[in-house]
Amino acid sequence: MVKQHSSGDPTPEDHPAESAGDAAEPTTAGSDRVPGSGPSGSAESPESPASPEDSETADRFAIRTYQPPTGGVQFAERRKLTPQERAERRERRRKRTRRQRILSWSMIGLGVLIIGSIAWVGWRTYQAYTHLTAAAEHVSDLQGELDDLAAIDRDATARTVAALREEASAARSAVDDPLYRAATVVPWVGDQLDAVREVGLVVDALSTEVMPSMVQITDTLDPSVLAPEDSTIDLAPIQAAAPLLQRADEVVNDSRQRMAAIDRSDLVGPVNEAVLELWGKLDQAAGITGTGARAARLLPPMLGADGPRTYLVAFQNLAEPRATGGIFGSYALVQADQGRVRILDQGAASRTLGTFDPPIATISPEQRALYSNLMTIYPQDVNFTPDFPTAASLFAQMYTARKGTAIDGVLAVDPVVLSYLMKGSEPIDVGGGVTLTADNVAQVLMSDVYAKFPDLRQQNDRDDYLAAATALAFNRVASGAANASAMVDGLAQGVRERRVMLWSADTTEQADIGATMLAGALSTDVEQPTIGVFLNDGTGAKLGYYLHQDVAVTEGKCADDGRRELLVDVTLRYDAPSSGLPEYVLGLQKAGTAYVLQTNVTAFAPVGGGVVRVLKDDGIATFTRSQDQSREAAWTTVQLAPGESTTVQFTVLGPVEGAGTASDVTPDLVLTPGVHTTSTSIDTYRTCRLPDAA
């Protein structure tokens, strides 16, 4: 047995045989081991000394006893803790457990709070949507109830307004919730919530500041209250309604701006549709409140609330077409003072005002190319241009030059609109066994009068008769004897058809009028293309009474510069008799053959567009091209015998569209109003993409 020392290493004394080395081991004869033999037992010469390699091999395979090393870890005797140390350890464990419990409950509480907040915001969003949907229905109901001012059910309207305000208030309460407002900062989701909130705030503003005012205004501005009585209009209701109308218009336009400021690029379908729907309703409301606010600003001063005003009322004779309708045939000089309107003078433009040489004003070379200088020489030609402010200003200058009376404005009407205003009125006796009614006033003033005075030498008698008849019709309307509701409806229809136009010499008032259809001016809005088709008689005849017009606008091809060609087809039908008409009706300068109608047809391109081609019954037509009112226009002459018709096609260019995605556009169409209703057809066209945007 080997003795183990504390150091763990064996000593030579423990192994005497190993201490002498292998070289001291004796060799005996007959021994089994051969001196110098290796592990494999091969013999080795006794004379050969051992090589270092042999020593290393022997040492490598020498047998030794393995002794494990002494362990490095020693365990001391466990010390007992003192009572204070045990208490401190327990306290530490208790605090650690409490912190873990607080953290766990905090995380649970936070999760519950987040889930609860999301659920609450979702609930408030649902509430807002529900109340806004109900409010929208009430708005539609209210619009229907206010359509006919003469048949308003005041109690029903009051209930609708109350319900609207309740729904709108509930919607605003939902979107004004603190959690809801906080959620509007969350990316993407916040965009949806913020858009809904804007819709809610706008609807609430409409329900509290616009709709109640509009209902109140309908009480104040009832047609029966506003109708003239003894040629006097009571201005007090209009002045009382003015502040309400102004405020309603401000709220509507502020709301439109709020809708326009919403970024709709990331809105989901239903939210985007809600924004667009409200925006559309606001545009409709702006048309109503804007017109009302302007009327409240204009009517009192223009009707003499601040002092007498003097106006020319021009009666357009549609039997001899002009761009705005017909020649300024007869006229009346009227004065408005504190709402009372009375006729001061009347006459025939051609006979009373005569001609002006030199011309009353200077027009541009471009206008001369379209109209010649005649519009500055003859009162009946001032409206060769379709721009009513230009025509009215020239007419006022001519009257002042002849009569010395300053003119504050010009109002133009025609016999057709007189027929609208006289609906429900009693017949008017104009002498000679003739009575005017809503059904025959247009025929009497534009056709029968020429049969009554057929001789050219009877022009003065005819002019006096026309002046007296139109004055009687005008006085009947102004007196209040006509049906108030019919008069209001007829006036509105006349404005829509461009049969009623107004110009003021006051630039501030004219700016207000210029924003309405009363202005009789072509729109300059580039975003909404407008095409004009206007007629001017070419012989001084009254054959326009037998002229019918149809206009169609269709899409053409894309031009090389990215503008869309629009095809404007103007079909003229002429149904005059081939005999029996008075000499005066046939014209002072006949178109080669009696009864032949000669008309100059002018087409105006949209702002930024142009006219590139004119065809007549599929053949190329000669035409003159120039500019008026910052638009390119072209005219060509048409001659028709009784029973004939022709189609003139103008190819006009739309404005240059920006690069990018094409869009659908429906152009506006402005026409010369005639004796007969014009049939129109306007197709929506697709804008062209610029070549570099393809």
Side-chain angles (χ1 to χ4, degrees):
M1 177 177 290
V2 179
K3 183 177 180 181
Q4 181 71 42
H5 287 267
S6 61
S7 64
D9 294 325
T11 62
E13 290 81 2
D14 296 322
H15 304 279
E18 292 180 6
S19 64
D22 293 337
E25 185 177 354
T27 302
T28 57
S31 171
D32 294 332
R33 181 175 180 181
V34 179
S37 64
S40 60
S42 59
E44 193 175 60
S45 174
E47 287 83 14
S48 301
S51 66
E53 291 80 1
D54 294 337
S55 299
E56 290 178 4
T57 300
D59 183 66
R60 177 180 179 186
F61 293 99
I63 298 175
R64 292 189 178 91
T65 302
Y66 171 74
Q67 297 294 329
T70 304
V73 178
Q74 297 183 3
F75 296 94
E77 183 180 355
R78 183 176 181 181
R79 184 176 67 85
K80 293 183 179 181
L81 299 177
T82 65
Q84 181 178 357
E85 290 174 333
R86 285 196 295 272
E88 290 175 352
R89 179 176 293 180
R90 285 195 300 272
E91 180 63 19
R92 286 194 298 271
R93 281 200 300 268
R94 187 182 65 80
K95 289 182 178 180
R96 185 168 58 251
T97 302
R98 184 173 61 183
R99 285 195 300 269
Q100 292 173 345
R101 188 180 297 114
I102 291 174
L103 179 60
S104 298
W105 282 109
S106 297
M107 295 300 293
I108 293 173
L110 180 61
V112 171
L113 179 62
I114 292 174
I115 295 173
S117 298
I118 293 174
W120 179 254
V121 170
W123 169 245
R124 293 302 255 172
T125 303
Y126 172 76
Q127 287 181 313
Y129 174 80
T130 302
H131 291 302
L132 287 173
T133 301
E137 293 177 357
H138 292 313
V139 170
S140 298
D141 292 342
L142 193 58
Q143 288 176 329
E145 292 169 3
L146 296 178
D147 274 347
D148 187 354
L149 297 181
I152 291 178
D153 184 339
R154 310 296 175 185
D155 293 336
T157 301
R159 289 192 297 271
T160 303
V161 170
L164 170 62
R165 296 185 68 171
E166 181 179 353
E167 296 292 350
S169 177
R172 172 159 191 162
S173 175
V175 298
D176 265 349
D177 183 274
L179 283 179
Y180 186 102
R181 296 181 65 177
T184 59
V185 302
V186 178
W188 189 81
V189 173
D191 293 337
Q192 320 303 318
L193 298 178
D194 193 54
V196 173
R197 183 171 186 272
E198 287 297 311
V199 171
L201 296 178
V202 166
V203 170
D204 184 60
L206 293 176
S207 70
T208 56
E209 298 191 67
V210 176
M211 293 305 181
S213 297
M214 297 306 293
V215 173
Q216 184 178 348
I217 290 166
T218 59
D219 290 333
T220 305
L221 302 183
D222 186 279
S224 60
V225 176
L226 289 181
E229 184 175 351
D230 191 22
S231 299
T232 301
I233 298 175
D234 186 5
L235 300 180
I238 303 174
Q239 292 170 317
L244 294 175
L245 283 166
Q246 304 301 328
R247 178 55 186 162
D249 191 46
E250 290 174 5
V251 172
V252 168
N253 282 288
D254 288 345
S255 299
R256 293 173 70 197
Q257 292 179 5
R258 295 189 72 156
M259 290 294 97
I262 295 176
D263 183 2
R264 298 187 294 108
S265 57
D266 291 330
L267 297 185
V268 296
V271 177
N272 187 50
E273 290 173 6
V275 171
L276 291 177
E277 181 179 0
L278 179 58
W279 203 348
K281 288 184 179 294
L282 287 171
D283 285 341
Q284 295 175 359
I288 298 172
T289 60
T291 300
R294 279 186 288 272
R297 288 194 299 268
L298 289 169
L299 283 176
M302 293 191 75
L303 288 174
D306 303 325
R309 293 287 189 94
T310 304
Y311 300 100
L312 281 171
V313 179
F315 297 98
Q316 299 195 81
N317 188 344
L318 307 180
E320 186 174 344
R322 288 293 184 269
T324 65
I327 61 169
F328 288 2
S330 58
Y331 68 84
L333 182 72
V334 301
Q335 183 187 73
D337 187 11
Q338 298 299 319
R340 180 176 177 79
V341 180
R342 62 193 182 98
I343 296 178
L344 301 179
D345 182 29
Q346 60 189 101
S350 60
R351 180 164 54 92
T352 307
L353 302 184
T355 60
F356 292 84
D357 186 15
I360 194 68
T362 301
I363 60 177
S364 68
E366 291 79 14
Q367 288 177 314
R368 281 200 301 273
L370 290 174
Y371 317 120
S372 76
N373 265 340
L374 295 180
M375 61 186 293
T376 61
I377 297 173
Y378 295 97
Q380 58 269 42
D381 293 339
V382 294
N383 53 343
F384 273 151
T385 173
D387 185 61
F388 181 73
T390 298
S393 177
L394 289 172
F395 195 60
Q397 292 178 61
M398 290 177 174
Y399 187 89
T400 301
R402 287 287 182 262
K403 298 284 190 172
T405 303
I407 300 300
D408 294 308
V410 177
L411 173 69
V413 295
D414 65 35
V416 174
V417 80
L418 281 179
S419 71
Y420 298 160
L421 298 175
M422 290 176 60
K423 287 181 178 179
S425 173
E426 294 295 325
I428 303 171
D429 185 2
V430 295
V434 178
T435 58
L436 296 181
T437 66
D439 295 329
N440 73 358
V441 63
Q443 177 180 328
V444 168
L445 297 181
M446 291 186 290
S447 178
D448 293 352
V449 65
Y450 301 112
K452 186 176 182 65
F453 303 96
D455 198 304
L456 290 176
R457 292 169 295 183
Q458 295 177 298
Q459 181 176 352
N460 290 347
D461 295 334
R462 184 173 48 252
D463 289 343
D464 291 341
Y465 181 85
L466 282 172
T470 52
L472 286 171
F474 181 80
N475 282 331
R476 172 60 63 88
V477 173
S479 68
N483 181 278
S485 296
M487 187 175 67
V488 171
D489 292 342
L491 186 62
Q493 183 177 353
V495 172
R496 289 193 301 270
E497 295 177 0
R498 215 165 181 257
R499 299 182 186 276
V500 180
M501 290 172 284
L502 178 64
W503 170 79
S504 173
D506 183 293
T507 54
T508 301
E509 292 177 352
Q510 181 58 27
D512 243 343
I513 295 171
T516 71
M517 295 182 68
L518 277 170
L522 294 178
S523 171
T524 58
D525 186 1
V526 179
E527 300 297 325
Q528 179 57 50
T530 302
I531 297 170
V533 175
F534 306 106
L535 307 179
N536 282 301
D537 176 74
T539 62
K542 301 299 183 289
L543 296 172
Y545 183 80
Y546 304 98
L547 181 63
H548 301 260
Q549 177 183 213
D550 301 327
V551 181
V553 179
T554 56
E555 180 181 275
K557 66 180 181 179
C558 287
D560 293 339
D561 60 0
R563 292 187 289 180
R564 172 68 70 181
E565 289 187 354
L566 303 174
L567 307 180
V568 183
D569 291 302
V570 183
T571 300
L572 300 179
R573 293 178 288 109
Y574 177 50
D575 63 0
S578 57
S579 63
L581 292 177
E583 188 75 11
Y584 186 77
V585 174
L586 301 180
L588 304 176
Q589 180 184 350
K590 298 179 180 61
T593 305
Y595 293 90
V596 170
L597 173 75
Q598 180 169 303
T599 306
N600 296 324
V601 185
T602 306
F604 274 65
V607 175
V611 182
V612 295
R613 185 172 54 255
V614 180
L615 303 177
K616 191 184 301 180
D617 292 330
D618 298 327
I620 297 176
T622 59
F623 64 94
T624 299
R625 179 169 51 201
S626 190
Q627 288 190 343
D628 185 20
Q629 306 304 314
S630 301
R631 293 170 181 265
E632 188 167 294
W635 65 270
T636 189
T637 300
V638 171
Q639 291 186 348
L640 295 173
E644 289 185 342
S645 66
T646 187
T647 297
V648 179
Q649 183 182 86
F650 295 88
T651 301
V652 305
L653 290 174
V656 176
E657 303 291 341
T661 305
S663 59
D664 292 330
V665 178
T666 303
D668 289 334
L669 180 62
V670 182
L671 306 170
T672 294
V675 177
H676 309 283
T677 301
T678 299
S679 174
T680 61
S681 173
I682 308 170
D683 289 349
T684 297
Y685 70 87
R686 191 75 170 169
T687 60
C688 302
R689 299 180 63 184
L690 291 175
D692 60 356

